[in-house]
Amino acid sequence: MTLTIPALRARRPGFRRRPLGVRFAAAFLVLVAATGLLAPVLAPHSPDTTSLLNSLAPPGTAGHLLGTDSAGRDVLSRLMYGARFSLIAPLGVVLLAGVAGTAIGLLAARAGGWVDAVLSRGMDIVFSFPSLLLAMLVVAVFGPGLTAPVCALAVSYTPFVGRVVRNVAIQEGARPYMEGYRVMGFGEAWVTLRHLLPNIAPVLVAQSALSFGYALVDLASLSYLGLGVRPPDADWGSMISQAQSAILQGSPWSALAPGLVVLLTVVSVNVLGGHLGGSIGGKKEGT
Amino acid sequence: MLDDKPAGEEATTRRDALDVARLGLTLGAGDGAVPLLADVTLRVGRGETVGLVGESGSGKSLTARAALGMVPRGARATGRVTVSGVDVLAAGRRALRDLRRTRASMVFQDPRASINPVRRVGDYLTEGLRARGTPAGAAAERARELLGQVGIADPAGAMRRFPHQFSGGMLQRVMIAGALSTEPELLLADEPTTALDVTTQAEVVALLKEMQRARGTGMLFVTHDLDLAAAICDRVYVMYAGRIVEEAPGRALFTAPAHPYTRALLEASPSAHGDRVAIKAVAGRPRALAESPSGCSFRDRCPLADDRCAEAVPAHRTHRASAVACLRPELVSP
Amino acid sequence: MNTPVLSAVALVKRFGHVTAVDGVGFDLMPGASLGIVGESGSGKTTTARILAGLEEPTSGTVTLAGETVAGQGVTGRSRRARLRHARLLQMIFQDPYGSFDPRQTIARSIAEPLRLHAPGSAKEHRARVAELLDQVGLSERAGRSLPRELSGGQRQRAAIARALGISPRVLVLDEAVAALDVSIQAQVLTLLDDLRRETGISYVFVSHDLAVVRYITDTAIVMRHGRVVERGETERLLRDPQHPYTRLLLDSIPSPDWDLDRVARDRRALDAL
């Protein structure tokens, strides 16, 4: 016997009602995205202006809030410009993998039988292939730059999304309303796209947020290895890579700053993703 | 019934198995407080079968759970609940555990949800006995005996099987064996047959009645099925919107309901027996206490209600065989 | 009007080695109501699902208004065949909580099949939805609600309104009132009874509950282990059950004169069969 009391029914929480951590995470991401977008206006210096006289200035130096790197470039400005590549590239990975994974997952779930078997095993194979290794192979073939690693990572992230979509689609597809639409004469495609997809969308969003974090780290690793963006463009990963020698010279901050930003961004995205995933369970429960 | 009990215990077991006096339950505090139960008074004597009947939101399951000290998180209980002399609402964690281990057991609606699926049935049954200090060998012997009593064909084999290897009806028998393994004075059965097929329900009910009669256990039988309650219970309490609206002997409730709600329920349920009679639907839907109107909770659905019903919650009064919370039961059954 | 609107002939459905439905057949006349009574595992729900086109029968045929819609000679389901099947037969499911897309308002869910089956302007559809809501006793406000904001009974009414929008000749109800409170169950039962009188729609009423079946049907079949063990007029089945299983079912229903010993005797008679 379940008890239903309207007064107790959880309302959709507004922003203010969400946990503090989630609010911080969202605010931080907005801040990072905004500075990236407005870098030409906000950045105190050009990210590429070298000044060998002023190399490895410590944070707090006049005109260089976060100091300079070994080439004397302003770390803050480079962080701001770097945000563009660092955020857009994983976004590209998530979108590509999201679309492909959703398509494959839905097809596998709704078609069932051998289609499901073939797609699922295919995803297992791609899943078991290390994503960084795949990206490195692709870069080795097509040369460095952003396009190749983004596509390669998108391929290896597709099963990550596809599996989850397949599982929730099978669950949701077994609910009586889905069968109801079949009895009412609606076609499979209509039911899947108009009713099933919107109902699993929250899971998809949560899953994408998690993938975003992983993709950001993977891309930073690639850049760190020199396989990502090409100089003079920079993302956070390549900044850390270039600061390596500076660390040995006893000036860790030019590596620390981008490292910290990567860390905070990934944590923020994961917190937000986890929160979105969690609130889905709550929504389904309500009667 | 009490013949095999030691003489000293006999005196103490004279008292009721369950005594609930003016139980109230409120969730939260201040302006946002949500009342769940109000003024629930009921008792279950030793060896007696008492029905607690109601629809969704009536609070029947909450009442049964409160008897074992299980109140919803954040809820505040008022009044008094006594199980075999133990004040449940005042009891500490330890005393409650002790109570559930020895004097009161519960059988739930869905046997599959209330048994650990990865443990063998034998482990489930001996667990309670072992916790009370029975040696392993004796506990296993006792468990086999109980399984035999609840009609499981191969008790020794059943002990080694897992819950999923039983049908719903058979698993409910196992649960009953488990509930009775501690020789409780009170058995709370919360919709124990609702998830079962009709024919299985009859068997499980027959078993429950027989086991309870043989042991002199008091049983509170919670159900939404008025026919079932009237068929097997000595007395029945009818709940509506968190309050008890009528108490009557099972048969009297059926033939001469005194509360308009009881009569409405009877008239709304089609019957498979006797002459075919039209059913009469009650307007509106069952309410929880928090959303019910002032005065009599049923008045917005009651055909007999007038302004007087809004003034105050009607007190229980005696009308024929019933104790009923209605201002004019004589209009319900003259 | 002497031809059945729905006939099932020798339906068989196997899932692997398990035979869920074994040679079930019946005719349903226009405006009539047929009960399919049975317990879990009797095959009653599988039968209903075959009628609705949710399962393919292993053998046997289903004929709707003179056209074979399932079974021999029916391969694949074209869009045309699907729509025609839907226009003739609709189904109400047991679970009032899961019968609607949780993200859509009730009115939108009712309008959707209208747009598919009865082309017209948005205004016409709105008017029809209002009419349907009224027909099942739901307010306009209920129409603007999301499924989770309605009670089980209201949702079941909405499901009936949605099915009626297509104006089917047959409505299959699979345990449609089993999950409802007694007082609400009575409301839905009387509504179904009125609708049948007003519209001449036919029902296949699948249920485990003989009392409910008695109220809503004229004839009934009793199923056990996938087979029909007894059939006839519902009143006759209740007053004079011939098969031991029907007798067991009947005696198992609680009543003030409930005799549990008799249930045990019935069970032995059935096992001896």
Side-chain angles (χ1 to χ4, degrees), chain A residues 1-2 9 172 175-188 190 194-196 198-199 201-202 283-284 286-287, chain C residues 49 52-54 82-83 86 89-91 93 95 98-104 108-109 112-113 116-117 148-149 155 162 166:
Chain A
M1 197 91 297
T2 52
R9 197 177 287 149
E172 192 71 21
R175 311 219 322 151
Y177 78 89
M178 298 292 294
E179 294 204 313
Y181 280 107
R182 276 174 70 194
V183 177
M184 283 184 275
F186 288 96
E188 208 54 29
W190 172 280
R194 287 296 294 266
H195 296 286
L196 197 139
N199 276 297
K283 191 200 115 197
K284 283 269 149 91
T287 54
Chain C
R49 291 172 59 83
L54 288 171
R82 204 174 65 215
L83 289 180
L89 182 144
Q90 278 303 304
M91 183 162 174
F93 295 87
D95 177 15
S99 314
F100 286 92
D101 185 334
R103 300 170 52 88
Q104 269 184 190
R108 253 190 81 187
S109 282
E112 209 176 347
L116 181 70
H117 290 281
R148 65 163 178 274
E149 293 163 340
R155 264 177 274 197
R162 183 172 63 176
I166 308 176

Side-chain angles (χ1 to χ4, degrees), chain A residues 33-55:
Chain A
T35 50
L37 206 66
L38 301 174
V41 187
L42 293 178
H45 300 272
S46 155
D48 306 323
T49 314
T50 56
S51 154
L52 290 172
L53 291 174
N54 203 10
S55 77

Side-chain angles (χ1 to χ4, degrees), chain B residues 1-5 9-10 12-18 44-50 84 102-103 149 180 183-187 207-220 234:
Chain B
M1 261 181 274
L2 301 171
D3 290 351
D4 52 355
K5 300 266 179 197
E9 216 178 309
E10 193 170 336
T12 54
T13 50
R14 284 280 174 229
R15 65 195 171 213
D16 288 338
L18 170 68
V44 179
R46 295 269 306 169
E48 196 184 19
T49 306
V50 173
S84 311
T102 56
R103 302 201 195 161
Q149 285 172 13
L180 294 175
E183 299 283 335
E185 292 165 36
L186 175 68
L187 181 64
L207 172 73
L208 262 177
K209 283 291 285 180
E210 184 194 312
M211 301 286 283
Q212 176 235 0
R213 210 173 284 149
R215 284 149 206 266
T217 313
M219 174 158 74
L220 184 67
D234 305 318

Side-chain angles (χ1 to χ4, degrees), chain A residues 149-224:
Chain A
V150 164
C151 291
L153 283 182
V155 169
S156 55
Y157 278 39
T158 297
F160 194 60
V161 179
R163 276 187 179 183
V164 173
V165 167
R166 174 184 171 274
N167 291 345
V168 292
I170 285 177
Q171 240 175 50
E172 192 71 21
R175 311 219 322 151
Y177 78 89
M178 298 292 294
E179 294 204 313
Y181 280 107
R182 276 174 70 194
V183 177
M184 283 184 275
F186 288 96
E188 208 54 29
W190 172 280
V191 179
T192 305
L193 296 177
R194 287 296 294 266
H195 296 286
L196 197 139
L197 189 55
N199 276 297
I200 64 169
V203 183
L204 200 59
V205 169
Q207 189 65 13
S208 300
L210 290 178
S211 318
F212 183 92
Y214 290 125
L216 200 155
V217 172
D218 277 356
L219 284 163
S221 310
L222 281 174
S223 296
Y224 175 83

